[in-house]
Amino acid sequence: EESSSLAPVLRSVSIPFAMAQTFQTLWCAAFRPKYKGNLMYVSTGLLGAVAYSLSRAHAAFSSASVKSANHGLFFLPLALHFGWTTAATLVNLNGAV
């Protein structure tokens, strides 16, 4: 039996969120001064993968029918991170071009 009404939502968000963290770790390794020129596309692609993964997590919690008092506490940081990585991907793509 579920102890929280948010448990199904957290379950559906967990895999895309874990993928976003994995891509962000790889992005940190690729966003180095030695990767300039055409290699900047690797960093841009990884950051785009972070944004895409967070978009899947964002879609999962946005479509949740259950909204509780803790909903914003759990998911506001996720929404902010999704927005930041989307904007940062566009900035990196502009810098790579």
Side-chain angles (χ1 to χ4, degrees):
E1 191 171 318
E2 301 288 325
S3 61
S4 169
S5 61
L6 284 176
V9 179
L10 292 174
R11 193 174 302 115
S12 66
V13 167
S14 63
I15 290 180
F17 183 75
M19 292 304 297
Q21 299 311 307
T22 302
F23 286 126
Q24 183 144 358
T25 301
L26 293 171
W27 171 77
C28 288
F31 192 68
R32 308 275 173 148
K34 66 181 180 179
Y35 298 119
K36 291 190 180 204
N38 286 339
L39 292 176
M40 279 190 68
Y41 289 110
V42 173
S43 160
T44 303
L46 289 170
L47 195 55
V50 173
Y52 177 75
S53 298
L54 288 174
S55 78
R56 304 311 312 149
H58 186 271
F61 83 77
S62 295
S63 65
S65 59
V66 178
K67 307 282 190 214
S68 72
N70 291 330
H71 193 78
L73 177 69
F74 288 125
F75 298 118
L76 179 64
L78 181 71
L80 290 173
H81 194 189
F82 168 50
W84 176 84
T85 55
T86 301
T89 299
L90 296 174
V91 169
N92 272 3
L93 184 59
N94 186 44
V97 175

